[in-house]
Amino acid sequence: MSTGSPQNDRPTKGALDSFSHWANKHRKWVLAAPAMIFTALLIAFPLGWTLYLSLTDSSGSVRADSEFIGLENYGEVLTDFDRFWPAVGRTLYFTGGALAFEMALGMAIALLLWRPFRGEKWVRVAILLPLVATPVAVGMMWSLILDPNIGFANQALSWFGIPPQPWLAGQDTALTTLMFVDIWQWTPMVVLILLAGLTSLSDEPDEAARVDGASAWQRFWYVTFPLVMPVFITAILLRGIDALKTYDILYATKGKGGGSFHEVETLNVYAYGLSFDYNDYGMSSAVLIIFFMMIVGCIWLLTARKKRSNR
Amino acid sequence: MSSVVDKQPAVPDAARLPAAFKKRPKHPATRAYGLFRVLALVIIVLTFLAPLVWMVLSSLKTNVDIYDPTAAFVFSPTLQNYETVFGQASYLQYIFNSFWIGIWATVLSMILGVPAAYSMSRFVMKKSAAVVLMARIIPGVSLLVPWYFVFSNLGLVGGYSVLILSHMFVLLPLFVYIMMSFFDSLPLELEEQGQVDGLTPIGAFLRIALPLSVPGIATASILSFIFSWNNFMFALVLSGSSTKTLPVAIFDFVAYASIDWGGLMAAAVIITVPIMVIALFTQKYIVSGLTAGATKG
C-alpha cells in the first residue's frame, strides 16, 4: 500500500467482521469500484459501441441490420468537402477565436482584480453571473438583443450612426457573433482560474523586479506571466475542451443543423444532426471518433507544452 | 520586446540605487492607473451585467413595448409574460423536473464519487482517475446513440432514471476531480492517528476524512447541481413530454412563424434566476470548485 498507513490486522470474528476485514484490506478498489463500474457501463461501453458503429453502415434504426464495412465511413467523411471539412473549419475558427479573446481578456481582467480594492466583492459577483447562467437561456437572451430589427444592439449602434448589422441572422456574421456570446459567457471562468493562480504567487519576484526598475509591462511579461504559465495552460485546456464541444448556444440561436445554410454547423452540431435528424449512425459515429481524436490530440499537445513550462 | 531589455536594467545603476533604498509604498499605484482601473472595472461590470438586465427588463414588457425602441427603458412593467409562462399548466412540472433530476444526479454522483476520489487520491491511482476524467473530454453526442438504444430497449427513455444517469455522466467526473484535489490537500496524519486509536482504514475515512471534507463536498454538490440544471443536450434526446427539463421546455416559446419574445424572456428569467440566487449565496464554493486543481500546476 503506497500510503504507508498502519494495517489493522485484527482477528476475524463472524461474517461481518471478516467482510470488514476483507473490505479494509482491499479498500483501494472497494471505494473506487462503484464509480469505475459506472464509468465502464455508461461511458466506456457506449464509446466502444460508437467505435463499432463507425465501422458499419448502420442507419435508420440501430436495431436494423447493418453490415461491417471497415473504414469506408471514414473515407467518405474525410473526402466530404461539402459538410465535414467546413464543419472542422468552423469548429477550429470558433474555438480558436473564442479562446484567444477569452485568454487575453481573462488575463487582463484577472490582473485588474489581482490587488485588493474596495467593492471587489461586487465586481466578483458581476463576473460570476454569466458563468452560471443556463447556456440555452443565454442564447435566447442574445437572440433578442441581437435581433436585426428589434434588438437593442442595432439600436445602440444607431446612436453612433453605425448602420444596423445582421448579427446572428447573417450567413457570414452568425458564427463570429456566437463566438462573442461564448466570450461573454466564459471569459469569467478564465478570470477565476487565472486569479486563483495569481493569488497563489509569491510577491517576491515581482517586488525584486520592481526594485530593479522594471516597468509594469516588463514585470508582467518577464516575471508574472512565466510564473502563472502552468495555470494559464490549464485554463486553455479546460476552456478549449468545452469550446470545441459547444452545442447549447448554437442550437438555441440557430436551431438544428446550424442554421438554414449550416452557417454555424460545428463538428458537434454536424454529428448530432447525422445521428438524430438523418439517423445515419455509421457516418455520425465516424465523425464523432474523428472529433474525439482531434480533442485528444489538442490536449496531448497542450499537456506536453505544460510539462515543458513546469520544468 | 527586444531581448536587450531583460538583460540590462532599464535605469542605470546610479539612478536606481537611491530609489531602492527609499521607503516606498508596497504597490505605488499611480493616480492615473487608479482612475484607469476604476473605469475599466465599471466597463467590465456593465458588459457582464447589462445583457442580463436587458433580459429581465424585456420579460416585464408587453410584446408591443419589446418592438418599440422608444420604450427601451421607459415602459409600464407588467407581469403578463410570467402569467403566460405559468399559465401553461406544465411549467411547474418542468421546474420540478429540473430540480428533481438535479438533486438525484448530484446525490448519486456524491455517493459514487467521494469514496472513489478518496481512494484515487490516497493510493495515487492516476490511471483510474484518468479513465473517470475521460468523461470530461468525450463529446456527449457519441454516447447518446448507444444510450438511446439501450435505454429504449429497457423502456426507460422518457423517465427520470435515464436523465439522472445521463447527467451523472457529467457530474461524476466533476465530483471526482474536485474531491481528489480536496483530499490531496487533506493531511494524512489525522487518519493515521485515528487508525492508531483503533479505527479500521475505512473507519478512518468515514469518521475522520469524510467529516473534514464537508466544504469540498458542498463545493462539488453546488457545482454539480448547476451543471445538471443547465444541461441541455441529454434532456433534448432522452426526456419525454412529462420529464422535460427547463432548458428543453423553453423552446415551447419558439414557433416557426413567430417568437413570443416576452414569454421567452420570462421563461429565460425563470431558468436563470434560481441558479443565480444559489450562486450569489455560495459564491465562495463555486469559485473554489471551478478553480480546483487548476493551481496545482
Side-chain angles (χ1 to χ4, degrees), chain A residues 82-83 86-91 93-94 166-179 250 253-267 269-270:
Chain A
D82 202 31
R83 296 284 287 276
V88 172
R90 284 184 213 107
T91 309
Y93 170 78
F94 179 87
W167 305 114
L168 294 166
Q171 203 180 327
D172 303 323
T173 52
L175 192 61
T176 309
T177 308
L178 282 165
M179 200 169 92
L250 305 180
T253 53
K254 300 297 289 182
K256 286 180 177 176
S260 24
F261 302 98
H262 307 301
E263 60 266 36
V264 302
E265 187 176 69
T266 60
L267 276 177
V269 176
Y270 181 45

Side-chain angles (χ1 to χ4, degrees), chain B residues 66-182:
Chain B
I66 286 177
Y67 279 85
D68 179 6
T70 61
F73 298 102
V74 187
F75 60 94
S76 47
T78 160
L79 287 178
Q80 80 173 46
N81 293 319
Y82 291 90
E83 280 165 31
T84 315
V85 173
F86 286 109
Q88 282 196 326
S90 29
Y91 223 77
L92 285 171
Q93 174 74 44
Y94 302 147
I95 294 175
F96 169 80
N97 292 346
S98 276
F99 265 107
W100 191 243
I101 292 165
I103 286 167
W104 274 107
T106 301
V107 168
L108 291 174
S109 302
M110 184 195 307
I111 294 171
L112 294 187
V114 173
Y118 177 78
S119 193
M120 287 169 185
S121 162
R122 286 298 183 244
F123 293 97
V124 201
M125 299 159 74
K126 283 208 167 142
K127 286 200 189 97
S128 309
V131 170
V132 174
L133 297 180
M134 266 265 280
R136 183 82 176 64
I137 58 173
I138 296 173
V141 191
S142 55
L143 307 177
L144 270 171
V145 171
W147 280 356
Y148 190 86
F149 175 66
V150 171
F151 289 132
S152 64
N153 268 356
L154 295 171
L156 293 173
V157 168
Y160 286 118
S161 55
V162 63
L163 287 167
I164 292 168
L165 282 174
S166 69
H167 283 199
M168 282 174 67
F169 155 76
V170 184
L171 307 194
L172 182 65
L174 185 77
F175 246 100
V176 170
Y177 186 68
I178 292 176
M179 291 314 293
M180 267 183 78
S181 74
F182 191 88

Side-chain angles (χ1 to χ4, degrees), chain A residues 2-26:
Chain A
S2 55
T3 49
S5 51
Q7 272 290 337
N8 262 9
D9 286 318
R10 296 187 301 176
T12 49
K13 282 183 217 147
L16 194 68
D17 259 8
S18 72
F19 171 75
S20 153
H21 182 77
W22 175 84
N24 274 301
K25 202 172 158 202
H26 301 284

